[in-house]
Amino acid sequence: MAYVRKDVTTLTAAERRRFVRALLELKRRGEYDAFVRMHIDHYVTDGEGGLRTAHMTPSFLPWHRRFLLELENALRRIDPSVTVPYWDWTRDRSATGSPWTPDLLGGTGRSTDRRVTTGPFAYSTGAWTLRETITDEDFLTRDLGRSRDPIALPTAADVEGALKDPVYDVSPWNSTVTRGFRNRLEGWGTGSGPVAWRNHNRVHRWVGGAMVGGASVNDPVFWLHHAFVDLLWTRWQNRHREHRYLPDRPPLPGTSQYRRVVARHEKLKPWNMTPDQLEDMGSVYRYA
Ligand code: CU1
Ligand code: CU1
């Protein structure tokens, strides 16, 4: 039977407590930091050579789908009742409401150094020291809404702009494409500054601190954010049933994206699965 991923605002106090407890136990065992490391190692951009599996690429969605499943499986080995909740940032837009409460993720960082000082992931608890990082800080940081240079969360209209595009992705399959559901959702725009960050990317920027860059997994909100991104992919799939993951075949030798993107039936590293096999998760989980 498929298990259910819930809207984080609907979790009971007991469900919130069990989710947090499972995360802390994973961290204590050192398993959580392996997820952070994996994400850092797969943070390959357009500008670098080589295969892109996780970002700026069609497989952004299946890569993170599988990544979330790995984390969720690890949590469920600790507590079988736990699933990853999703944060609908088009609706829950306050920096003090859900999921930023003291019994779940804690709040924004303090003004001096952005250190998170409330909730279960505050440095002072001793339970959430960052070990895999791209900066020197070993404490979790956040700057919800970017106090000095405010930025707004994406709106329902922004998301609709992505969902209504019937084409999954377009050549050259990178951060520069202006059409296709994948990049409209992943959110690499043109121009500089805030206008260039849309939907998924904009949320990383709105949270700020650790959520900016390759080590973003250090903030547990990463999973709630990506569960919602994954839910949006299922909504797109349901709306455009005749459309699927693209490219369906690998780019040809001699073209710019040859061996740089994963086609529908190619293995999606580091896993032994293809985007094709990750399109339908209906037998594993569903969203409430
Ligand atoms: Cu990512
Ligand atoms: Cu992300």
Side-chain angles (χ1 to χ4, degrees):
M1 249 266 293
Y3 58 80
V4 177
R5 289 184 181 167
K6 297 176 183 166
D7 183 321
V8 68
T9 63
T10 69
L11 296 191
T12 65
E15 285 170 335
R16 291 195 291 271
R17 196 165 52 236
R18 296 181 85 148
F19 177 62
V20 167
R21 205 162 51 191
L23 280 169
L24 294 176
E25 174 59 14
L26 206 63
K27 176 78 171 173
R28 192 190 66 76
R29 296 178 183 181
E31 289 180 47
Y32 192 91
D33 291 314
F35 284 96
V36 184
R37 186 75 244 164
M38 182 186 280
H39 193 264
I40 293 172
D41 290 345
H42 286 81
Y43 208 89
V44 176
T45 65
D46 283 357
E48 302 166 64
L51 181 70
R52 301 185 306 280
T53 55
H55 306 99
M56 302 182 172
T57 190
S59 52
F60 164 71
L61 290 166
W63 194 93
H64 285 84
R65 174 167 281 181
R66 181 59 201 249
F67 191 51
L68 242 76
L69 271 172
E70 297 274 324
L71 179 278
E72 192 167 51
N73 287 338
L75 294 176
R76 288 165 65 80
R77 283 193 289 273
I78 292 166
D79 182 342
S81 78
V82 169
T83 66
V84 176
Y86 65 88
W87 167 34
D88 180 345
W89 28 257
T90 68
R91 295 212 305 228
D92 299 300
R93 309 172 62 80
S94 156
T96 51
S98 182
W100 311 111
T101 52
D103 65 345
L104 198 61
L105 300 186
T108 193
R110 65 188 181 189
S111 60
T112 49
D113 58 2
R114 302 298 169 205
R115 179 188 300 195
V116 171
T117 59
T118 56
F121 306 99
Y123 188 69
S124 59
T125 64
W128 204 259
T129 303
L130 309 194
R131 299 208 165 79
E132 299 287 352
T133 57
I134 53 173
T135 65
D136 291 337
E137 291 153 352
D138 67 348
F139 49 85
L140 181 60
T141 52
R142 283 181 195 139
D143 182 14
L144 302 184
R146 299 208 315 185
S147 48
R148 279 175 214 144
D149 181 16
I151 183 175
L153 284 166
T155 63
D158 294 329
V159 167
E160 178 58 24
L163 285 174
K164 72 181 181 199
D165 192 328
V167 179
Y168 179 82
D169 207 347
V170 296
S171 173
W173 321 109
N174 59 17
S175 71
T176 70
V177 299
T178 56
R179 293 179 299 119
F181 169 68
R182 187 274 308 172
N183 195 38
R184 288 187 198 274
L185 180 60
E186 186 177 5
W188 303 104
T190 48
S192 61
V195 293
W197 304 312
R198 298 177 215 270
N199 289 322
H200 155 267
N201 279 347
R202 179 169 279 254
V203 174
H204 278 273
R205 296 282 166 170
W206 185 90
V207 177
M211 268 287 271
V212 177
S216 47
V217 177
N218 276 314
D219 192 330
V221 78
F222 176 92
W223 308 104
L224 283 69
H225 173 35
H226 272 276
F228 186 57
V229 169
D230 189 73
L231 163 57
L232 292 175
W233 185 18
T234 66
R235 284 191 188 151
W236 178 86
Q237 290 177 309
N238 290 334
R239 197 192 288 198
H240 307 284
R241 292 204 172 267
E242 68 284 18
H243 289 271
R244 294 192 56 192
Y245 181 94
L246 292 173
D248 53 354
R249 300 208 181 143
L252 294 171
T255 62
S256 71
Q257 297 302 311
Y258 175 60
R259 289 190 173 159
R260 301 207 55 200
V261 299
V262 179
R264 189 186 297 160
H265 299 283
E266 293 185 299
K267 295 278 193 259
L268 180 52
K269 283 180 191 165
W271 299 292
N272 193 28
M273 275 184 106
T274 66
D276 175 74
Q277 292 168 313
L278 286 160
E279 280 189 304
D280 182 6
M281 290 291 110
S283 63
V284 182
Y285 62 81
R286 64 182 177 82
Y287 288 99

